[in-house]
Amino acid sequence: MNAALRAVVRSGLYHGLEVYGIQRGYQGLLNNEIHKMDLRSVGDIIQRGGTILQSARCPEFKTLEGQQKGADILNEHGIDGLVVIGGDGSYQGANKLSKLGIKTMGLPGTIDNDISFTDYTIGFDTAVSVVVDAVNKLRDTMSSHARSSVVEVMGRHCGDIALHAGLASGAETILVPEVPYNMDEIADRMKDNFCNGKRHSIVIVAEGVGKGEDVANALKERHASIDARVTVLGHIQRGGAPTPFDRNLASRLGDFAVRSLIEGHSDKGCGMIKGELVLTDIDKVVNTKKEFDMELYELALRLSQ
C-alpha cells in the first residue's frame, strides 16, 4: 500500500494538484484526520510493508449519516477526488461517496487476490513470497525427519494464496475453498508416497477450507503412520518488504488512478489485466466474484505426482 500511496501523491503533485492524506481510512475521515502531503511525505516508503496512513474499521461509515458526514468533510477541505486503497469494504465506501458527489477511484489492496477485474491485487505477490519462503524452510525439517507439514495460509473465500504458493513451492496437496476434496484419497496418496521412498509431504490449506490442525488430525486418523505437523502462518503473511512485482504494480495503479480522476472518471476500480491497465465500475467489481483459475490448479495437480 505504501508504494501505491507514494505513486498517488507524487503523480498528483506532478500534475499540479494539492494532495491530502487521510489517516486511518474512513474512521480518520469522519474524525477529520486530514493533512496535506508533499514529496517528502512519501519519501523512503516504497520498500516498507503496511501503510504509513494506517487503517481502521469504521461501522459508522456504513450508515447513510456517516457517508454524508464524510462527503461533507471532504467538501469542506476542497477535496474533489478520493483514491481508496483496500478491499471490498473500501470499495463499497468509495461507491457510496461517489453517489454523494465525490469523485472516487479504488485501488485493489488485499493479499487474498479476491477482487475481480484485475489479475493481481496489491500485496498478493508479497504474501505468496512469504508463504513460499516459509515452506522452503519447513521442507528442510520435514525431509530430515520424514514428516508431513500442513501449512495453513490466509484465504477465507479465495484460495489464490494457497494455489500460487503451493505451485511455486512444489506442495503435494493444495486445499482451497473453490475445489472439493476427498481426505481419504489425500491420506492414501501421502502414505503411498512415503512407502515409495518420499521423505516429506507438504499440504497447503487455505483458511476457508478449515483449520490446519483439523486437516492434520484427519490425516492421522486415516493413517497413523502419517506424522503431520501444523504451521499457521497467520498475519506474518501481511508484513515484510514488498516484492518488486508488488511495488511496480502499486506504482502503475496509483499513477493510473490519479490520471483517471483528472480525465473525469469516477466510481471506478483500477486493475491490471494481461499487463494492461483497466477501469471497471465499482458496482460491477463488488458484485462480481473473481473466477478461480482451475487451469493453474490442474497444473499443480499434474506436477504434484
Side-chain angles (χ1 to χ4, degrees), residues 240-274:
T243 61
F245 178 88
D246 262 334
R247 299 182 199 191
N248 291 337
L249 173 66
S251 297
R252 291 184 66 186
L253 290 174
D255 172 72
F256 183 52
V258 171
R259 290 188 289 110
S260 297
L261 283 171
I262 292 173
E263 292 169 3
H265 298 287
S266 178
D267 197 24
K268 304 289 185 183
C270 299
M272 187 178 71
I273 299 177
K274 295 181 180 179

Side-chain angles (χ1 to χ4, degrees), residues 187-260:
D188 289 343
R189 189 173 79 245
M190 289 175 66
K191 181 186 176 184
D192 291 343
N193 285 341
F194 277 105
C195 289
N196 291 327
K198 198 172 183 68
R199 295 186 55 80
H200 62 263
S201 183
I202 303 292
V203 181
I204 306 278
V205 184
E207 63 182 340
V209 172
K211 294 182 178 180
E213 193 69 39
D214 293 337
V215 172
N217 289 335
L219 292 171
K220 293 175 186 177
E221 288 171 1
R222 285 161 174 79
H223 292 294
S225 61
I226 296 178
D227 186 7
R229 304 299 175 92
V230 181
T231 300
V232 181
L233 294 180
H235 282 79
I236 193 173
Q237 295 159 88
R238 293 186 178 275
T243 61
F245 178 88
D246 262 334
R247 299 182 199 191
N248 291 337
L249 173 66
S251 297
R252 291 184 66 186
L253 290 174
D255 172 72
F256 183 52
V258 171
R259 290 188 289 110
S260 297

